[in-house]
């Protein structure tokens, strides 16, 4: 009989499901050394957030077939190491959706009606009704930053309460936003017009400190801010200062940059209009049951030889199939990430064309990998190979799949074309003989560069001096260029320049690049 190790506390309902097909051992509080010593005899590992599943643990788990995280994120699992070992990693991406959305709504209403402060006042013997004159949410503007599953549920509930909805989400199509009942706006507009702002995005380099002093200064003095998404989205010192100086009406936070909230956090000193809860977004009895049952069912299915439904690496592909497809999946995901960022994130349609020998490969995993790459900059751990198609559909992204075995610039090549409100962009990539990925074409301009973490793309007139000016400008910002290549069709016509960089571009440098005579467009890509 298979053996399952459960190393964090999970709901009994999940253990009961596992017991149907396996011997279940619950051993919580294991140290890393103890986990490494114990794991070799187990076929599956079920965890929550406490257990750190490192490369050493995974390599010691010679019998492991699946690692299940009863929750959304998998930050505590070395997913690449598990994938190399052919181990499926699963999570429960939707198990706490309702719980998180309802907590955001609860904080918004509590903030509006001063519920925590009024409760404390009455318990202390006071009866000062005039002190707690609140605000109605009816007919107020709610600005949602992020319109995924949780944001959409908050929007539906808020709409039912009579609120007017606006949203910022560069990965949502206008049609999808209209279905939800939201008006898509730019972030600055949302900051200036919203009476309430709720955050529903992961923490990424783009969203870190999204709400900073500059953003807070744009908000109305009557604005109320709610964050039940991720810590690190808000500059907590700037928020504390804004609240103390009455620059906004209030804030309610469930997540923080460092948890537990540090003793010297400036938020602790704020004397008014601030509600703090200890990361309770998923803390409902129903959510705990949901995530435990969801992950236990997937572990059971994998132990029975069936595919998992919410794998974050490669669902339903076991080591032999995975080894064959892995290079193509990496190519597709890389190109998806690139073309999505070139298109500015807001994509209405994605065309995936498999060329040469690639046209003979399984198409569905490759298309899914491209969608995962397209959505990953916005959704991070919330998007995986199982839900990428669903996430794309919910965002109104139309997917077109084509094959053309006659195109043989390279043996295996893949072409992606993204169309959106900001225009269209095309990227082609290929696998060289040793499996190395090369970008071979951008917007119909031929190039040949390997993808790296930091890249800068420009569209410019092919004229003397531009390359030197861009190089000097980057140098003045202390950005080191690893390589540079220019693609053009005709002399003195339009050209594309691709710069591989050792460093991320500092804030404001794109605006300076656009001032260089002859530059038509400039884009950064983070891989």
């Amino acid at each position: 009989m298979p053996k399952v190790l459960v190393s964090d506390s999970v709901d009994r309902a999940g253990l009961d499901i596992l017991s149907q097909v396996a011997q279940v051992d619950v051993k919580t509080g294991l140290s890393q050394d103890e986990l490494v010593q114990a794991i070799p005899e187990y076929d599956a590992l079920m965890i929550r957030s406490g257990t750190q599943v490192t490369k050493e643990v995974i390599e010691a788990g010679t019998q492991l077939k699946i690692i299940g995280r009863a929750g959304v994120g998998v930050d505590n699992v070395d997913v690449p190491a598990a994938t190399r070992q052919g181990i499926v990693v699963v999570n429960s991406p939707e198990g706490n959706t309702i719980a998180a959305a309802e907590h955001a709504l609860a904080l918004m209403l509590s903030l509006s009606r001063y519920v925590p402060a009024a409760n404390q006042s009455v318990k202390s013997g006071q009866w000062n009704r005039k002190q707690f004159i609140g605000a109605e949410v009816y007919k107020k503007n709610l600005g949602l930053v992020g319109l995924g599953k949780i944001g959409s549920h908050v929007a539906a509930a808020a709409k039912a309460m009579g609120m007017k909805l606006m949203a910022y989400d560069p990965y949502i199509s206008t049609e999808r936003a209209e279905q939800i009942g939201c008006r898509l706006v730019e972030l600055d507009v949302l900051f200036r017009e919203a009476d309430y702002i709720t955050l529903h995005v992961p923490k990424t380099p783009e969203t870190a400190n999204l709400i900073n002093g500059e953003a807070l200064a744009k908000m109305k003095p009557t604005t109320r801010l709610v964050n039940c998404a991720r810590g690190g989205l808000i500059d907590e010192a700037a928020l504390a200062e804004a609240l103390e100086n009455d620059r906004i009406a209030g804030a309610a936070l469930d997540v923080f940059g460092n948890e537990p909230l540090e003793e010297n956090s400036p938020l602790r000193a704020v004397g008014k209009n601030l509600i703090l809860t200890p990361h309770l977004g998923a803390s409902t009895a129903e959510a705990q049951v949901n995530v435990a049952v969801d992950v236990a069912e997937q572990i059971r299915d994998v132990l029975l030889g069936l595919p998992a439904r919410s794998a974050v690496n490669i669902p339903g592909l076991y080591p032999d199939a995975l080894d064959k497809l892995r290079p193509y999946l990496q190519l597709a995901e890389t190109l998806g990430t690139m073309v999505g960022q070139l298109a500015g994130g807001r994509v209405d349609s994605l065309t995936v064309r498999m060329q040469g020998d690639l046209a003979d490969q399984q198409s569905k995993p490759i298309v899914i990998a491209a969608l995962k790459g397209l959505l990953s900059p916005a959704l991070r751990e919330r998007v995986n190979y199982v839900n990428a198609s669903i996430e794309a559909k919910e965002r109104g992204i139309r997917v077109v799949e084509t094959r053309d075995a006659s195109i043989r610039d390279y043996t295996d090549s893949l072409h992606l074309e993204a169309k959106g409100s900001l225009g269209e962009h095309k990227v082609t990539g290929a696998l060289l003989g040793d499996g190395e990925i090369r970008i071979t074409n951008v917007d119909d301009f031929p190039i040949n560069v390997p993808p790296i973490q930091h890249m800068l793309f420009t569209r410019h007139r092919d004229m003397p001096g531009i390359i030197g000016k861009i190089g000097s400008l980057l140098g003045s910002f202390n950005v080191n260029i690893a390589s540079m290549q220019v693609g053009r069709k005709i002399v003195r016509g339009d050209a594309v320049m691709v710069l591989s960089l050792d460093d991320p571009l500092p804030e404001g440098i794109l605006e300076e690049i656009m001032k260089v005579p002859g530059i038509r467009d400039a884009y950064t890509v983070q891989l």
Side-chain angles (χ1 to χ4, degrees):
M1 177 178 281
K3 296 179 68 176
V4 180
L5 174 61
V6 180
S7 59
D8 291 319
S9 297
V10 299
D11 190 89
R12 183 73 213 180
L15 302 181
D16 291 342
I17 291 170
L18 293 174
S19 298
Q20 298 171 7
V21 297
Q23 173 187 324
V24 181
D25 295 335
V26 179
K27 300 178 182 179
T28 60
L30 295 176
S31 68
Q32 273 287 294
D33 289 342
E34 290 171 333
L35 185 57
V36 168
Q37 291 173 6
I39 202 65
E41 61 181 284
Y42 290 97
D43 301 277
L45 174 62
M46 186 173 182
I47 63 171
R48 289 196 65 202
S49 57
T51 299
Q52 297 296 314
V53 187
T54 61
K55 179 182 178 182
E56 290 72 26
V57 172
I58 289 166
E59 290 179 346
T62 52
Q63 293 184 195
L64 276 180
K65 299 177 180 65
I66 180 170
I67 299 167
R69 158 76 158 95
V72 177
V74 287
D75 295 343
N76 54 327
V77 180
D78 190 332
V79 176
T83 303
R84 285 192 296 271
Q85 298 290 109
I87 300 169
V88 179
V89 180
V90 303
N91 66 347
S92 181
E94 299 181 27
N96 61 10
T97 296
I98 300 301
E102 288 184 354
H103 194 56
L105 291 162
L107 290 182
M108 182 172 71
L109 292 171
S110 295
L111 196 59
S112 293
R113 301 304 297 268
Y114 302 105
V115 172
N119 169 68
Q120 188 61 39
S121 173
V122 173
K123 285 184 174 180
S124 66
Q126 301 179 44
W127 192 261
N128 192 348
R129 297 174 65 192
K130 292 183 179 179
Q131 183 180 350
F132 302 113
I133 297 176
E136 296 180 3
V137 301
Y138 181 64
K139 291 189 176 180
K140 296 297 196 309
N141 290 321
L142 172 61
L144 300 118
V145 181
L147 209 52
K149 290 183 176 65
I150 296 174
S152 297
H153 190 79
V154 170
K159 184 178 180 182
M161 290 190 291
M163 300 188 79
K164 294 180 285 187
L165 307 180
M166 65 178 70
Y168 169 77
D169 190 327
Y171 294 85
I172 288 281
S173 69
T174 303
E175 292 74 17
R176 173 57 181 161
E178 289 174 351
Q179 289 174 4
I180 296 170
C182 280
R183 173 172 60 101
L184 279 183
V185 297
E186 293 304 317
L187 201 54
D188 279 358
V189 174
L190 186 146
F191 288 155
R192 290 189 174 95
E193 296 185 7
D195 300 297
Y196 294 83
I197 296 174
T198 59
L199 306 182
H200 309 287
V201 294
K203 183 185 177 185
T204 68
E206 292 74 31
T207 62
N209 283 336
L210 182 72
I211 306 298
N212 52 26
E214 182 181 354
L216 290 162
K218 296 174 183 175
M219 298 177 191
K220 298 186 288 189
T222 54
T223 298
R224 292 171 171 86
L225 174 67
V226 175
N227 183 19
C228 291
R230 286 288 188 270
L233 302 180
I234 297 175
D235 182 332
E236 294 171 2
L239 176 61
E241 182 183 355
L243 290 169
E244 290 287 5
N245 294 319
D246 295 321
R247 288 207 295 271
I248 64 172
L253 310 181
D254 184 50
V255 289
F256 308 92
N258 291 299
E259 297 182 0
L261 185 62
E262 297 168 320
E263 289 186 12
N264 62 349
S265 168
L267 296 174
R268 291 185 181 273
V270 176
K272 54 186 176 180
N273 304 337
L274 177 63
I275 300 173
L276 306 177
T277 56
H279 205 145
L280 300 179
S283 295
T284 65
E286 295 85 351
Q288 299 308 305
V289 172
N290 290 342
V291 296
V293 168
D294 187 5
V295 170
E297 288 178 344
Q298 294 184 76
I299 293 175
R300 176 200 62 193
D301 289 349
V302 168
L303 294 178
L304 293 173
L306 302 171
R309 62 176 174 267
S310 293
V312 301
N313 46 5
I314 315 292
L317 294 177
Y318 294 97
D320 53 346
L322 175 59
D323 287 341
K324 183 178 180 181
L325 276 179
R326 184 184 288 117
Y328 302 112
L329 298 175
Q330 185 179 358
L331 171 66
E333 189 169 341
T334 299
L335 295 181
T337 303
M338 183 173 294
V339 77
Q341 292 181 64
L342 291 176
R346 190 165 292 157
V347 173
D348 298 322
S349 70
L350 178 70
T351 298
V352 181
R353 185 170 72 230
M354 289 161 283
Q355 303 175 162
D357 290 347
L358 187 58
D360 297 326
Q361 297 294 333
Q362 296 183 53
S363 62
K364 185 176 180 180
I366 293 170
V367 172
I368 290 173
L371 288 172
K372 180 177 182 292
L374 182 76
L375 297 171
S376 286
L379 302 181
R380 296 287 167 165
E381 73 273 5
R382 298 214 311 268
V383 63
N384 55 52
Y385 283 89
V386 170
N387 65 12
S389 295
I390 297 171
E391 294 283 357
K393 184 177 181 180
E394 289 183 346
R395 283 158 175 74
I397 300 173
R398 185 171 61 94
V399 180
V400 179
E401 174 194 333
T402 64
R403 298 168 182 264
D404 192 339
S406 65
I407 299 178
R408 291 192 170 271
D409 293 338
Y410 292 84
T411 303
D412 300 301
S413 64
L414 182 67
H415 175 84
L416 302 186
E417 181 176 345
K419 295 182 179 179
S421 58
L422 301 179
E424 65 178 73
H425 286 274
K426 307 171 186 177
V427 176
T428 305
L431 290 175
L432 302 187
D434 57 359
E436 182 183 357
I437 295 175
R438 289 298 177 94
I439 310 303
T440 61
N441 198 289
V442 173
D443 290 338
D444 295 326
F445 290 89
I447 60 171
N448 190 326
V449 296
I452 70 168
Q453 183 178 7
H454 307 294
M455 305 184 78
L456 169 66
F457 292 75
T458 68
R459 180 79 173 265
H460 62 272
R461 286 173 52 204
D462 182 26
M463 55 186 284
I466 284 189
I467 295 174
K469 289 176 182 176
I470 297 297
S472 297
L473 182 58
L474 293 178
S476 70
F477 279 82
N478 200 33
V479 175
N480 198 45
I481 300 173
S483 67
M484 182 276 296
Q485 189 172 121
V486 174
R488 64 183 187 181
K489 299 175 187 176
I490 59 173
V491 176
R492 304 278 179 154
D494 273 6
V496 163
M497 179 165 55
V498 182
L499 295 168
S500 302
L501 309 174
D502 292 332
D503 313 286
L505 287 182
E507 188 175 348
I509 193 172
L510 275 185
E511 288 80 0
E512 295 301 316
I513 291 173
M514 289 299 298
K515 295 177 183 177
V516 175
I519 294 290
R520 304 191 191 283
D521 288 300
Y523 311 89
T524 58
V525 170
Q526 302 288 324
L527 298 177

